[in-house]
Amino acid sequence: MYSDYENCAVCGSEVRLRPNPGASGDTSEPAGPTDGVVGGGDPTVDVRECTNDDCPSRRPGGPDA
């Protein structure tokens, strides 16, 4: 089950999803290295971002939402 829309784990505010800058979204290319999946596999499609501007998760180096 996906938990992308759960509230922020730090402050409880709503979150917004934005594109992962490391994911191209191009479905015509193989998803992993040619010799198989390594480590965590494919990058997540979206990045969760807290909508509360004062939340510690919005600060550089802060905990993830």
Side-chain angles (χ1 to χ4, degrees), residues 1-64:
M1 176 176 221
Y2 295 105
S3 61
D4 287 349
Y5 294 102
E6 288 183 7
N7 290 346
C8 175
V10 176
C11 74
S13 297
E14 290 185 21
V15 297
R16 73 174 65 91
L17 300 179
R18 57 184 181 80
N20 184 339
S24 69
D26 185 0
T27 58
S28 66
E29 298 177 7
T34 56
D35 59 346
V37 177
V38 176
D42 301 328
T44 57
V45 177
D46 298 312
V47 174
R48 292 167 39 88
E49 180 178 70
C50 183
T51 57
N52 177 1
D53 291 335
D54 295 325
C55 180
S57 70
R58 300 283 307 267
R59 296 186 192 121
D64 294 328

